[in-house]
């Protein structure tokens, strides 16, 4: 019998009281991206058939494809199914990757799962660059509906808004987050009401709710319909955010907000645009803004601009979260993480990520100049992430949740087929802009896999050249090494081997401190580590202890704080008596290199530009001694 009760414990949001404030928070953070899709999705889909005018059956066919894509991709795939799979409350492509990886037995199988997860994360970053550009451009383009005189101002205004958004990121989202929810609630209510009014005036558009029109459209147009699916998918962009933000709010608020407010509002907006086009095909110029009466269009532009800023903020915050997860899971070098809230661990700011996103967004905005041109670039990143999520979900539901093979096949094969149709349709747009996410994702994929491989080779070299810790401790009483007052903290990534910094210190200074702490930070494949598992202390010899400190991929290390808590283990720690010894590796090519020259160059550049360990682990810089060591890989 298929078991559906093996889902891991729900996230914190499921244990929170279901309040209006929580639901508003869901609207502001989770649904900002998909909520702004009506600005451009309907128009971009119908432009493929606009050369000789848009026929009513074409409008109904595209509208039916959009409505059923929302139902199948978002409601069925993410809301009803994929959100069942969480890593101790956390969702997202990397959380799903860790769940799938645990079910794989061989190293090769686990490696393939990791590659799929990395690919999904890379495409998410590409999506995070394109989303702000296309969202803000599509909102400001509403000025052209008011007056063609505003056309030249669209790009400069968009650049100014985007630059301002990224510049204020260092302040964090706590201060402005309170207004996100109400603005999004007003946005969804407005677009839903405008769509409802037009639908009531032209009720024949309700026929698009039948999948018959989608099937008839696909059967009539064949390849052209397939190409159009590359634009239809714009209506479901942001679907991955439902899953990624599950850890912040829990399943129930996200599901309730979608089923009873967001989906009806989006459906009504698309239906209203379809009804308008049935009555006036010339409204294809901008069916979203032409739904509104003249007096409402300028306020609607301002509301749309605010909504797109919120959508962009959601993607930027998501990029910070994914980047930190990549660092903790060993896919990226150490990056600077600034906490913008004293109470919320998840509210962070990452300067390097912010700068790269800003540069990419501004280049895309200036280069493509309008949302129609960017629409071709947008879909590939989104659909690629969809495919990666479906593949990993098949493994998790089959092996961890023990769903029967017929059930997995019946549910996931049609969904994966739909994802593949979306993806291949967007592959056809590579010459017209689809190359942008492909290039971005490929570059990031090379960087992440190079870093992961380099770290593996580095640790293997350390284990090969280093002295086992047990042997060192056994020889210590006979070595007559001079012990001096103080505490020496040796940071090491290999808990069972003597750190190179200690061997160099003994070689040159010929002394050992009275108290020695070997500290190893372990990154777990879970969001947060329980307090009772955070620290593990072992006494290796009088005055010598091994400290294992565990962190989840949603947490930021703070070594001094953890060491000050060692009193509960009977280990006294005085911060002013402690010296931290760190090894700085200088990478050189081995006689028989195990990594190609160009990858060695990339790895070396990433290593040199990584955030110093003192900053990443929050170690006081005036208490640090760094010792260099050459490592051949």
């Amino acid at each position: 019998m298929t078991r559906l009760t093996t889902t891991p414990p729900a996230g914190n949001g499921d244990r929170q009281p279901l309040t209006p404030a929580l639901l508003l928070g869901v609207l502001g953070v989770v649904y900002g991206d998909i909520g702004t899709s009506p600005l451009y999705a309907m128009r971009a889909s119908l432009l493929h058939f606009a050369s000789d005018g848009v026929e009513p059956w074409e409008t109904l066919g595209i509208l039916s494809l959009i409505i059923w894509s929302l139902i199948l991709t978002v409601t069925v795939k993410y809301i009803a199914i994929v959100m069942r799979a969480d890593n101790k409350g956390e969702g997202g492509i990397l959380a799903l990757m860790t769940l799938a990886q645990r079910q794989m037995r061989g190293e090769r199988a686990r490696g393939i799962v990791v590659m799929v997860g990395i690919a999904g994360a890379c495409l998410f970053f590409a999506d995070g660059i394109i989303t702000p550009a296309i969202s803000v451009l599509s909102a400001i383009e509403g000025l052209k509906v008011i007056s063609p005189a505003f056309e030249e101002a669209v790009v400069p205004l968009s650049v100014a808004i985007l630059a301002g958004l990224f510049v204020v990121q260092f302040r964090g989202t706590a201060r402005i987050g309170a207004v996100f929810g109400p603005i999004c609630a007003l946005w969804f209510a407005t677009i839903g009401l405008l769509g409802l009014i037009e639908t009531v005036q032209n009720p024949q558009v309700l026929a698009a709710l039948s999948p018959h029109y989608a099937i008839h459209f696909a059967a009539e147009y064949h390849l052209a319909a397939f190409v159009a699916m590359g634009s239809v998918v714009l209506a479901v962009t942001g679907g991955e955010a439902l899953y990624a933000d599950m850890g912040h709010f829990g399943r129930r608020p996200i599901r309730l907000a979608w089923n009873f407010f967001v989906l009806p509002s989006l459906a009504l907006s698309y239906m209203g645009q379809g009804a308008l086009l049935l009555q006036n095909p010339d409204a294809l110029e901008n069916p979203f803004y032409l739904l509104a009466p003249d007096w409402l269009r300028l306020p609607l532009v301002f509301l749309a601009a605010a909504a797109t800023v919120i959508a962009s903020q959601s993607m930027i915050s998501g990029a910070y979260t994914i980047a930190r997860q990549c660092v903790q899971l060993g896919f990226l070098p150490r990056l600077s993480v600034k906490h913008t809230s004293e109470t919320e661990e998840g509210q962070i700011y990452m300067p390097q990520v912010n700068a790269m996103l800003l540069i990419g967004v501004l280049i895309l905005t200036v280069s493509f100049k309008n949302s129609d041109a960017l629409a071709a670039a947008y879909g590939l990143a989104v659909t690629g992430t969809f495919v990666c999520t479906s593949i990993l979900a098949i493994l998790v539901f089959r092996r961890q949740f023990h769903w029967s093979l017929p059930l997995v096949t019946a549910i996931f094969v049609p969904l994966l087929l739909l994802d593949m149709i979306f993806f291949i349709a967007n592959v056809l747009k590579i010459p017209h802009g689809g190359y942008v996410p492909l290039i971005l994702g490929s570059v990031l994929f090379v960087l992440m896999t190079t870093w992961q491989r380099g770290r593996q080779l580095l640790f293997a070299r350390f284990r090969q050249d280093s002295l086992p810790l047990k042997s060192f401790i056994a020889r210590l009483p006979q070595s007559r090494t001079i012990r001096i007052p103080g505490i020496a903290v040796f940071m090491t990534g290999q808990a069972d081997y003597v750190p190179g910094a200690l061997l160099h210190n003994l070689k040159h200074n010929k002394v050992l401190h009275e108290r020695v702490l070997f500290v190893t930070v372990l990154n777990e494949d879970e969001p947060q580590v329980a307090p009772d598992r955070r620290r593990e202390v072992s006494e290796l010899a009088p005055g010598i202890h091994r400290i294992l400190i565990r962190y989840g991929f949603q947490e930021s290390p703070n070594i001094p704080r953890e060491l000050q808590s060692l009193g509960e283990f009977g280990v006294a720690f005085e911060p002013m008596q402690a010296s931290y010894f760190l090894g700085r590796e200088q990478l050189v090519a081995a006689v028989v290199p195990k990594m190609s020259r160009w990858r060695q160059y990339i790895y070396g550049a990433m290593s040199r530009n990584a955030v110093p360990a003192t900053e990443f682990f929050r170690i006081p810089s005036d208490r640090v001694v760094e010792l260099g060591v050459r490592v051949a890989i």
Side-chain angles (χ1 to χ4, degrees):
M1 180 181 294
T2 300
R3 291 179 291 170
L4 305 181
T5 59
T6 54
T7 306
N12 292 337
D14 286 337
R15 295 191 292 267
Q16 297 177 13
L18 190 63
T19 63
L22 182 62
L23 291 173
L24 284 176
V26 169
L27 292 178
V29 175
V30 177
Y31 293 112
D33 186 9
I34 198 171
T36 56
S37 295
L39 283 164
Y40 45 81
M42 187 75 175
R43 181 173 185 269
S45 300
L46 281 170
L47 280 178
H48 297 283
F49 314 95
S51 58
D52 56 349
V54 178
E55 299 292 331
W57 71 272
E58 293 174 329
T59 299
L60 291 175
I62 288 291
L63 180 58
S64 184
L65 285 172
I66 289 176
I67 296 297
W68 282 98
S69 294
L70 286 169
I71 293 173
L72 293 175
T73 299
V74 182
T75 306
V76 175
K77 176 183 172 181
Y78 281 101
I79 294 291
I81 300 175
V82 175
M83 285 182 66
R84 294 172 178 266
D86 66 280
N87 187 1
K88 297 187 177 179
E90 292 292 336
I93 186 72
L94 291 181
L96 189 63
M97 180 200 73
T98 58
L99 292 178
Q101 194 177 12
R102 292 173 190 169
Q103 307 307 314
M104 300 296 104
R105 294 172 185 164
E107 286 296 326
R108 183 178 180 85
R110 283 194 290 268
I112 293 174
V113 168
V114 169
M115 291 300 103
V116 174
I118 292 178
C122 292
L123 290 172
F124 182 89
F125 282 120
D127 187 18
I129 293 176
I130 300 173
T131 294
I134 190 174
S135 298
V136 173
L137 273 173
S138 61
I140 303 303
E141 282 169 355
L143 293 174
K144 295 190 295 185
V145 177
I146 298 172
S147 172
F150 288 116
E151 183 169 359
E152 296 299 323
V154 170
V155 173
L157 281 175
S158 299
V159 167
I161 291 173
L162 289 167
L165 174 63
F166 281 94
V167 166
V168 301
Q169 286 300 308
F170 73 96
R171 296 183 177 273
T173 58
R175 295 181 181 178
I176 57 177
V179 302
F180 280 9
I183 289 177
C184 276
L186 177 61
W187 168 257
F188 283 117
T190 301
I191 65 174
L193 181 60
L194 291 174
L196 177 62
I197 292 173
E198 193 68 33
T199 301
V200 170
Q201 294 176 355
N202 299 278
Q204 65 268 27
V205 75
L206 293 173
L209 293 175
S210 169
H212 162 76
Y213 282 93
I215 297 172
H216 173 66
F217 182 87
E220 184 72 23
Y221 268 119
H222 302 295
L223 181 61
F226 185 77
V227 173
M229 291 295 285
S231 297
V232 170
V233 74
L234 297 175
V236 296
T237 58
E240 188 73 20
L242 312 180
Y243 185 38
D245 288 321
M246 183 170 61
H248 297 288
F249 299 100
R251 298 183 191 85
R252 190 180 176 210
I254 292 176
R255 285 172 170 167
L256 287 176
W258 172 259
N259 290 327
F260 295 102
F261 189 55
V262 177
L263 177 59
S265 298
L266 292 175
L268 284 172
S269 180
Y270 288 118
M271 297 288 285
Q273 293 181 51
L276 178 63
L277 290 168
L278 288 177
Q279 182 181 7
N280 178 21
D282 292 337
L284 188 60
E285 175 192 357
N286 199 316
F288 176 81
Y289 281 108
L290 290 175
L291 271 179
D294 293 342
W295 62 268
L296 186 59
R297 287 173 188 166
L298 185 59
L300 188 59
V301 170
F302 289 115
L303 180 59
T308 55
V309 167
I310 293 172
S312 303
Q313 178 64 58
S314 300
M315 289 302 301
I316 294 168
S317 301
Y320 295 158
T321 301
I322 295 294
R324 182 169 69 167
Q325 292 181 10
C326 288
V327 172
Q328 296 293 75
L329 292 173
F331 301 142
L332 285 176
R334 294 186 298 266
L335 299 173
S336 178
V337 179
K338 309 290 185 182
H339 289 263
T340 59
S341 172
E342 296 181 356
T343 58
E344 296 295 331
E345 174 72 18
Q347 292 186 13
I348 58 175
Y349 165 65
M350 302 184 71
Q352 295 99 327
V353 176
N354 189 70
M356 296 304 296
L357 289 175
L358 172 60
I359 293 171
V361 167
L362 293 183
I363 290 175
L364 289 181
T365 304
V366 174
S367 300
F368 285 83
K369 294 183 172 59
N370 61 76
S371 60
D372 291 335
L374 262 177
Y378 196 20
L380 195 63
V382 177
T383 55
T385 307
F386 285 172
V387 172
C388 293
T389 297
S390 293
I391 292 173
L392 295 176
I394 289 173
L395 297 175
V396 171
F397 280 85
R398 177 72 181 103
R399 298 199 174 192
Q400 179 172 336
F401 297 162
H402 306 294
W403 282 24
S404 65
L405 184 59
L407 180 61
V408 169
T409 302
I411 291 179
F412 281 104
V413 168
L415 294 176
L416 180 59
L417 180 61
L418 178 61
D419 291 339
M420 291 299 298
I421 291 174
F422 282 142
F423 180 73
I424 297 173
N426 278 277
V427 168
L428 299 177
K429 299 191 297 184
I430 287 178
H432 308 289
Y435 59 85
V436 172
L438 189 63
I439 292 174
L440 291 173
S442 298
V443 169
L444 287 171
F445 186 84
V446 169
L447 292 177
M448 288 190 186
T449 53
T450 297
W451 182 259
Q452 184 196 36
R453 178 59 177 163
R455 297 300 288 176
Q456 290 174 347
L457 293 175
L458 189 64
F459 289 149
R461 191 68 181 182
F462 279 152
R463 289 190 292 268
Q464 178 181 338
D465 297 341
S466 298
L467 179 67
L469 191 56
K470 289 184 178 180
S471 300
F472 173 78
I473 296 298
R475 298 175 188 174
L476 193 59
Q478 291 80 32
S479 65
R480 298 182 181 179
T481 303
I482 299 174
R483 306 291 288 267
I484 61 174
I487 304 174
V489 180
F490 290 93
M491 303 294 299
T492 174
Q494 304 294 311
D496 296 325
Y497 293 85
V498 180
L502 185 145
L503 296 177
H504 279 266
N505 186 50
L506 280 176
K507 177 180 178 181
H508 295 287
N509 298 323
K510 300 178 175 57
V511 295
L512 193 66
H513 288 69
E514 284 183 339
R515 284 184 286 169
V516 177
L517 303 179
F518 296 114
V519 177
T520 300
V521 174
L522 301 177
N523 295 312
E524 302 291 310
D525 61 350
E526 57 188 71
Q528 297 178 345
V529 174
D532 59 343
R533 294 182 54 242
R534 173 77 70 200
R535 296 173 296 276
E536 181 179 329
V537 179
S538 305
E539 185 175 19
L540 306 178
I544 301 178
H545 293 81
R546 177 168 57 193
I547 316 295
L548 302 180
I549 303 177
R550 296 180 173 87
Y551 287 102
F553 56 70
Q554 290 278 38
E555 300 178 290
S556 298
N558 188 326
I559 300 305
R561 182 179 63 192
E562 302 298 342
L563 296 182
Q564 290 183 45
S565 303
L566 293 179
E568 61 187 83
F569 296 94
V571 179
F573 182 81
E574 295 82 23
M576 298 309 296
Q577 294 185 20
S579 296
Y580 294 82
F581 289 83
L582 305 178
R584 179 176 289 273
E585 304 91 8
Q586 180 183 354
L587 304 177
V588 296
V591 177
V592 182
K594 296 183 179 180
M595 182 185 287
S596 60
R597 295 286 184 182
W598 66 272
R599 278 189 179 268
Q600 286 187 20
Y601 176 81
I602 292 175
Y603 180 80
M606 295 176 72
S607 181
R608 289 190 297 272
N609 288 280
V611 170
T614 52
E615 179 180 342
F616 187 76
F617 292 116
R618 305 189 192 183
I619 299 172
S621 57
D622 59 346
R623 311 296 305 176
V624 172
V625 178
E626 285 193 333
L627 299 171
V629 57
R630 291 168 62 90
V631 180
I633 61 174

